[in-house]
Amino acid sequence: MRISLTRLLAARLVLNFCVFVLPASCFAITASSEDRNAHSLVGTWHLVRYIDTPDGGQPIQAFGKEPIGLFIFTPDGHVSISIMRNPPDINAATADPDPDACVPNWYCAYFGTYTVSYERGTWVTHVLGGNIPAYLGTDQSRTFKLNGNTLTISEAYMADGQHVRAERVLRRDTQGR
């Protein structure tokens, strides 16, 4: 069975760097002044874009053109993050020796508690559980920018010696669905 290079690279990016694995210190992104109140992240956020772009390469949409995902931040400091490929690959392997891999690789989720620094434009998830073995018991820091009902996470990382820019865009659920 032959697998295209783009599909192989996309799978490797998902497996190695799923759900923003890399250091959040790559970029200093801050929330605007109107988005710096104590509960700006609280609520349900729907994932609308999940793109990784290698330098000089084409954008990779590891979770499809219309990924499905929810980031839920509660007022008492709990967070749950779930991202699924759309459409899912239900025939994909369900085990991978890579500790950064999601099991299965078309669905990534983790949960725990969180702390946020609006001045630094970061939140830290203190991971209690999930399907990414390397995340269990760790602190996962993310840089972010809030602009009204849009949450943007932009970071960079290295994959196989290549610089990759990651962008995740979410919209606040204002309907209460």
Side-chain angles (χ1 to χ4, degrees), residues 87-154:
D89 182 1
I90 60 173
N91 296 316
T94 58
D96 189 306
D98 184 342
D100 289 341
C102 300
V103 182
N105 68 358
W106 51 268
Y107 180 77
C108 292
Y110 59 99
F111 61 90
T113 59
Y114 74 98
T115 53
V116 64
S117 169
Y118 292 101
E119 295 76 29
R120 292 180 21 188
T122 61
W123 88 74
V124 177
T125 301
H126 313 287
V127 180
L128 299 174
N131 71 339
I132 310 168
Y135 277 25
L136 300 176
T138 67
D139 288 343
Q140 296 296 314
S141 184
R142 305 289 178 258
T143 59
F144 69 94
K145 180 179 180 182
L146 279 170
N147 186 4
N149 289 326
T150 301
L151 170 63
T152 304
I153 304 161
S154 299

Side-chain angles (χ1 to χ4, degrees), residues 2-168:
R2 299 189 93 180
I3 299 174
S4 74
L5 182 58
T6 301
R7 184 174 168 113
L8 185 61
L9 180 56
R12 198 75 201 131
L13 289 172
V14 170
L15 295 175
N16 287 333
F17 300 100
C18 188
V19 195
F20 341 115
V21 171
L22 298 157
S25 60
C26 294
F27 293 94
I29 300 174
T30 59
S32 61
S33 59
E34 65 269 13
D35 292 318
R36 287 187 184 179
N37 74 56
H39 295 287
S40 296
L41 282 177
V42 170
T44 300
W45 298 83
H46 295 270
L47 183 66
V48 295
R49 186 177 315 141
Y50 187 110
I51 297 176
D52 291 299
T53 307
D55 277 354
Q58 294 296 314
I60 297 168
Q61 298 171 316
F63 287 95
K65 290 183 179 182
E66 296 180 17
I68 300 170
L70 288 177
F71 288 45
I72 302 169
F73 296 89
T74 67
D76 63 349
H78 290 89
V79 62
S80 179
I81 297 171
S82 299
I83 300 173
M84 188 175 91
R85 179 167 179 66
N86 186 17
D89 182 1
I90 60 173
N91 296 316
T94 58
D96 189 306
D98 184 342
D100 289 341
C102 300
V103 182
N105 68 358
W106 51 268
Y107 180 77
C108 292
Y110 59 99
F111 61 90
T113 59
Y114 74 98
T115 53
V116 64
S117 169
Y118 292 101
E119 295 76 29
R120 292 180 21 188
T122 61
W123 88 74
V124 177
T125 301
H126 313 287
V127 180
L128 299 174
N131 71 339
I132 310 168
Y135 277 25
L136 300 176
T138 67
D139 288 343
Q140 296 296 314
S141 184
R142 305 289 178 258
T143 59
F144 69 94
K145 180 179 180 182
L146 279 170
N147 186 4
N149 289 326
T150 301
L151 170 63
T152 304
I153 304 161
S154 299
E155 299 182 334
Y157 61 89
M158 297 296 292
D160 297 324
Q162 188 170 25
H163 183 261
V164 179
R165 292 191 49 79
E167 179 184 64
R168 319 300 184 231

